[in-house]
Amino acid sequence: MPIEGFDYKGFAASMAEQAKELVPKDLQDREKEYIVKTLGNFTLLAGEALYNDTQLNLTPEQAVFITQIIAEWSFHKSIDLIHSGILPQYWDSIMQKIAFTIFEVAKQAVIRKIPQDQLLQAVEHHVIKVYKSSIEELEKKGIIDEEIKNRAESQSNIDAMAKQAQEEQMRQKQAAAEQAEKNLEEAEKRRAEKRKQRSIEKQKASMPQGITNKQMKLMTLALVLKILSQDKVTTILNKFDSNDSLAISQYMNMADLESHIDGDLISGCLKEMKDFLPVKRKLTKENVLGDLLRIYRSTPREKIEKIVKNERPLVKRFLAQAYDGEYSDLPLRVAGIVAQYVEDSI
């Protein structure tokens, strides 16, 4: 009884249509047609043979699997032949040997219930063997020379496509990492802007009546200068214009200066001034890990995990590995932003 549910004609047509989208763009139209036609014919013949074989008792899934293997290898080896330099009149005989070999090896492997990975390895081994022996036979007959033989044997479209897929995957990962870095930078800018705005609003709300923001900063600076030596004070005051320098000197001479300024306002002004001071700290893996380990020692892990629960998996993985003192493959600039974000969020 034929395999119920196995539409080999529809499957062969579907594989041929897919092949049209995958053929290399650099090939000529007749070469593209050959690839699609060869794949379609071998897939149809193999499917029909399996469908009508009442002794095999294959399931529709097994029949599709065998037929698909033939379609895929027909695609890759026909491309290899085209790139080899061998004349077109010799392609069919080689492809027929390859298709027959795949059909028999795959069919027997399925019957014997060999694991799928071993089946695929066996098919690949025999395909390469038949392809190589066919090329060597052409050389022995004087149809091709050694140069074409070597070129033909070096062709491997299946490896080329695998490499291309791997490179594309790497490009996607890199693009994702760059996008993550950009998102983190934009998020950090927004957080910094919010922190600055909150600080300004707090200062405005707490500022004593009649004292401007500039006066508050001059008073704060006067508090700092009161603990410095006279030489340093003079050097600093000389950098201000005469009006500001005079105001700072007057504030320094106020015995109760501290009582005119709220403690939180002093801290805010000092922090704001600090933000404008140049601070050079080299961004290294060691510094980033050190900052995170310092945070980890004083903050429960559950709290940090809650902070980053909505972040990307690569950020979570980076923070998890940092607990063990390990640095993952996160770009260093992104790692620095992540560490600062965690510290600011605690």
Side-chain angles (χ1 to χ4, degrees):
M1 180 179 178
I3 303 174
E4 186 177 352
F6 176 43
D7 179 13
Y8 66 90
K9 293 181 181 179
F11 183 72
S14 173
M15 296 301 291
E17 282 298 316
Q18 293 179 45
K20 291 179 181 179
E21 302 299 322
L22 297 174
V23 290
K25 304 301 182 183
D26 62 324
L27 297 182
Q28 298 178 16
D29 289 343
R30 63 179 179 81
E31 294 170 336
K32 295 177 182 179
E33 291 173 4
Y34 177 80
I35 295 170
V36 175
K37 181 180 178 181
T38 299
L39 179 150
N41 288 342
F42 287 153
T43 305
L44 181 64
L45 290 172
E48 184 179 14
L50 294 173
Y51 180 81
N52 293 320
D53 193 331
T54 58
Q55 304 298 318
L56 292 177
N57 294 321
L58 296 178
T59 64
E61 292 75 19
Q62 290 173 323
V64 167
F65 179 59
I66 294 173
T67 311
Q68 185 171 356
I69 294 175
I70 292 174
E72 291 176 354
W73 276 109
S74 296
F75 177 82
H76 292 302
K77 297 318 289 183
S78 59
I79 293 175
D80 289 345
L81 280 174
I82 291 170
H83 286 153
S84 70
I86 295 173
L87 295 174
Q89 56 261 40
Y90 302 106
W91 294 350
D92 283 347
S93 61
I94 297 175
M95 290 304 303
Q96 288 168 6
K97 292 177 184 177
I98 291 173
F100 178 77
T101 299
I102 297 171
F103 183 79
E104 290 301 321
V105 172
K107 184 174 67 173
Q108 293 303 317
V110 168
I111 293 173
R112 293 164 56 189
K113 297 183 179 179
I114 293 177
Q116 188 175 112
D117 57 339
Q118 294 181 25
L119 183 156
L120 294 174
Q121 289 176 7
V123 168
E124 182 175 8
H125 169 77
H126 286 285
V127 166
I128 294 173
K129 183 178 179 181
V130 171
Y131 178 77
K132 185 176 180 181
S133 64
S134 298
I135 302 301
E136 291 174 348
E137 184 179 346
L138 291 178
E139 184 193 25
K140 289 178 182 178
K141 292 180 178 179
I143 296 173
I144 62 174
D145 57 21
E146 185 176 3
E147 181 182 351
I148 293 180
K149 168 183 170 293
N150 293 335
R151 187 198 308 167
E153 291 181 346
S154 67
Q155 299 298 320
S156 181
N157 186 69
I158 191 170
D159 291 337
M161 288 189 66
K163 182 180 179 181
Q164 184 179 4
Q166 186 178 28
E167 290 174 349
E168 179 62 26
Q169 187 178 33
M170 290 298 295
R171 283 194 292 269
Q172 291 177 357
K173 285 184 178 180
Q174 184 176 356
E178 290 174 352
Q179 185 61 45
E181 179 179 0
K182 182 179 178 181
N183 292 342
L184 286 170
E185 287 178 345
E186 292 176 351
E188 176 58 25
K189 287 179 181 178
R190 290 194 295 270
R191 286 191 291 269
E193 191 64 32
K194 287 182 179 179
R195 289 196 299 268
K196 182 179 179 181
Q197 188 62 34
R198 285 197 298 267
S199 177
I200 292 173
E201 291 172 356
K202 183 177 180 181
Q203 287 187 25
K204 287 181 178 179
S206 305
M207 189 176 292
Q209 190 69 27
I211 298 180
T212 65
N213 189 296
K214 180 179 179 180
Q215 288 175 316
M216 186 63 61
K217 291 178 180 177
L218 294 178
M219 286 181 177
T220 302
L221 182 57
L223 283 174
V224 175
L225 295 182
K226 288 178 70 172
I227 64 175
L228 300 180
S229 66
Q230 186 58 45
D231 291 341
K232 291 183 178 180
V233 171
T234 301
T235 300
I236 294 173
L237 290 179
N238 286 338
K239 297 181 181 297
F240 290 84
D241 64 42
S242 57
N243 291 332
D244 289 343
S245 178
L246 178 60
I248 294 171
S249 297
Q250 291 174 343
Y251 292 142
M252 290 177 64
N253 292 324
M254 290 177 60
D256 58 344
L257 176 61
E258 292 85 350
S259 65
H260 290 276
I261 313 176
D262 180 84
D264 288 338
L265 286 177
I266 295 174
S267 299
C269 287
L270 287 173
K271 185 178 185 305
E272 188 174 343
M273 285 187 283
K274 180 183 177 183
D275 290 340
F276 287 95
L277 294 175
V279 178
K280 290 186 178 181
R281 184 171 183 269
K282 189 174 182 181
L283 183 63
T284 64
K285 295 179 180 179
E286 292 73 17
N287 286 340
V288 173
L289 284 175
D291 290 344
L292 287 173
L293 290 173
R294 173 175 51 79
I295 296 170
Y296 293 162
R297 285 194 291 270
S298 60
T299 308
R301 184 165 184 171
E302 294 77 12
K303 184 175 181 179
I304 295 175
E305 290 176 347
K306 186 176 180 180
I307 291 171
V308 300
K309 67 178 182 179
N310 294 324
E311 296 294 337
R312 292 174 176 270
L314 59 88
V315 173
K316 294 180 180 179
R317 183 170 65 251
F318 166 73
L319 292 172
Q321 289 183 288
Y323 270 99
D324 300 322
E326 297 177 0
Y327 190 97
S328 69
D329 57 353
L330 197 68
L332 185 56
R333 190 177 178 189
V334 179
I337 295 173
V338 171
Q340 186 64 50
Y341 166 64
V342 173
E343 184 173 9
D344 292 344
S345 302
I346 294 175

